[in-house]
Amino acid sequence: MATPTPTVTERARLTALRAGWLFDGTGSALIPDPLVVIDGGTIVAVGSGAPAPDGADVVDLGGAALLPGLVDTHVHLAFDASADPVSALGARSGEQTVEAMTRAGRAAVAGGVTTVRDLGDRDYLSLGLRGRPGLPTIVAAGPPLTTPAGHCHYLGGCAAPTEAGVRAAVREHVERGADVIKIMASGGTLTPGTHQHLAQFTPELLRAAVDEAHRYSLPVTAHAHAVAAISDAVAAGADGLEHVSFWTETSVDSPAELIQLIADRRTVVGATLGLVPVPGLEPPPVVRARLPLIAANTRRLYEAGAVLVAGSDAGIGPVKPHDVVRHAPDQMREIGIGQAEALRMITSVAAEVIGLGHRKGRIAPGFDADILAVDGDPLADPGALHRIRAVYARGTAVPDAGTA
Ligand SMILES: [Zn+2]
């Protein structure tokens, strides 16, 4: 019997980040003079005015403020944020799509977004990108469940419109290793022939999909614009809702009881917040006319006490680059959400919502060393979020941070 070879593991050196201020992901104020000690991919100590441990590599970021790496609860790495991302994706082979998704992931990380939940890819490609160095931590849905010819059917997630059909589609996602089930409860603007104001599934089929997913302990989040789709998804026990616009054929509804029910049931609202203004690019009139009404509904949900996060929908157009969630606090402010709470919503609250609250979204011992360093005070000056000094993803400095 061979004697095991004694292995001398050279203990990697600790890294200590020194900066001017720290927002820890849960608080309401900045902590002065922070020192964050990182061992490999994990934060092992956080202090204020503390000396660096002996032998640690000290990185002095001067007066910069440290925040947890940002968490976007709704992205599409397979969409390239061009004017026609659906056609662009359709023209790409699998290999080209993986390359494009890798570029998208790198852009997210460079912009401080170190964790994303991909709520719709093609061919389960986002699952294979999980754990790759240089990319964000990815929580992946695979192709969204939809009806034949339904919203985003071209991504391949069509389920036969029967109870057995939707259960089989959920089970395929389970077998492929998806982290979450995304279901298209209503139509959407990216898919001609579908209607945002109409539900795509019957309440029974939605219930079957949620039931099957929960049997395998997978959470479900439902793309839901139409009032009926929102109401059915809540009734079916979906864990989350995306968009939640209360879209009707001619405008936007505002059903007070349903809004309160969403809050009371703790069904997560993934509000589609975050956009980068692109000169000369206006949303289509049907969207533009509804935007103030949708914002008012998001405010009502917030005031009713709903669990609210920013699911940016990054990738679906030029106003939605892959690091766009950094811009969500600007819209949150317009609906009356304070800056500290907005920052919690794109860090610790978002991490909790996607099932990673135990290791993402906070700068605290035991958490992943995902850190965004910016110039300025991100509580007093929202523009500071865009002045990126450094990004660390799972303990590794991102070489092109802030350049995307
Ligand atoms: Zn989406």
Side-chain angles (χ1 to χ4, degrees):
M1 192 179 138
T3 334
T5 318
T7 46
V8 181
T9 329
E10 177 116 358
R11 188 179 160 79
R13 286 159 70 99
L14 300 175
T15 301
L17 302 185
R18 205 180 264 304
W21 299 96
L22 177 138
F23 173 77
D24 71 358
T26 61
S28 296
L30 299 183
I31 297 158
D33 197 17
L35 182 86
V36 179
V37 184
I38 299 170
D39 185 358
T42 308
I43 297 166
V44 292
V46 181
S48 172
D54 283 346
D57 291 321
V58 179
V59 179
D60 194 338
L61 293 162
L66 307 180
L67 304 94
L70 307 181
V71 180
D72 193 338
T73 61
H74 183 156
V75 310
H76 299 279
L77 294 173
F79 289 147
D80 63 3
S82 64
D84 187 358
V86 175
S87 297
L89 175 60
R92 288 193 180 107
S93 67
E95 197 179 329
Q96 290 167 329
T97 304
V98 168
E99 282 166 19
M101 292 172 81
T102 303
R103 282 196 295 278
R106 290 212 176 106
V109 166
V113 185
T114 51
T115 303
V116 299
R117 183 170 65 171
D118 189 302
L119 288 184
D121 67 7
R122 193 181 71 194
D123 299 330
Y124 295 89
L125 292 174
S126 59
L127 280 65
L129 297 177
R130 292 177 297 194
R132 292 232 183 138
L135 298 186
T137 297
I138 298 169
V139 173
L145 258 65
T146 191
T147 50
H151 181 40
C152 287
H153 61 88
Y154 45 80
L155 295 177
C158 296
T162 61
E163 192 175 321
V166 298
R167 286 186 187 273
V170 169
R171 279 199 305 277
E172 185 191 328
H173 284 69
V174 172
E175 281 155 21
R176 297 294 291 257
D179 301 306
V180 53
I181 297 295
K182 164 86 173 298
I183 187 163
M184 299 304 204
S186 74
T189 45
L190 277 186
T191 313
T194 73
H195 297 286
Q196 296 217 147
H197 67 282
L198 296 178
Q200 294 203 136
F201 290 92
T202 63
E204 293 73 27
L205 292 187
L206 266 189
R207 197 179 293 274
V210 173
D211 179 63
E212 193 69 16
H214 285 178
R215 278 192 342 117
Y216 295 95
S217 303
L218 284 195
V220 178
T221 193
H223 161 107
H225 282 288
V227 179
I230 295 168
S231 162
D232 292 349
V234 173
D239 304 272
L241 304 165
E242 305 302 316
H243 311 305
V244 206
S245 61
F246 303 99
W247 194 284
T248 65
E249 189 162 14
T250 53
S251 181
V252 163
D253 199 357
S254 180
E257 275 183 30
L258 180 53
I259 287 171
Q260 193 58 53
L261 182 68
I262 292 167
D264 294 346
R265 294 276 300 257
R266 313 305 287 157
T267 312
V268 174
V269 174
T272 317
L273 299 172
L275 55 88
V276 178
V278 175
L281 200 68
E282 290 284 339
V286 290
V287 175
R288 203 185 328 163
R290 287 171 171 88
L291 282 178
L293 303 169
I294 295 170
N297 277 340
T298 307
R299 183 186 186 123
R300 286 186 188 98
L301 284 157
Y302 170 66
E303 285 171 352
V307 181
L308 190 69
V309 289
S312 73
D313 230 351
I316 63 158
V319 300
K320 299 277 189 182
H322 284 95
D323 59 345
V324 72
V325 79
R326 236 176 35 231
H327 296 265
D330 296 338
Q331 283 173 290
M332 290 173 168
R333 203 163 45 252
E334 284 165 20
I335 59 175
I337 298 174
Q339 182 71 3
E341 185 153 21
L343 293 181
R344 290 194 292 269
M345 285 175 176
I346 57 172
T347 56
S348 61
V349 179
E352 197 80 50
V353 157
I354 64 170
L356 293 178
H358 57 298
R359 64 183 183 97
K360 298 289 184 186
R362 291 177 59 190
I363 298 181
F367 279 68
D368 287 359
D370 294 341
I371 293 168
L372 167 61
V374 300
D375 275 323
D377 175 347
L379 288 181
D381 168 17
L385 273 186
H386 311 306
R387 297 193 294 272
I388 297 177
R389 278 280 291 276
V391 177
Y392 286 78
R394 303 186 296 284
T396 302
V398 176
D400 52 352
T403 60

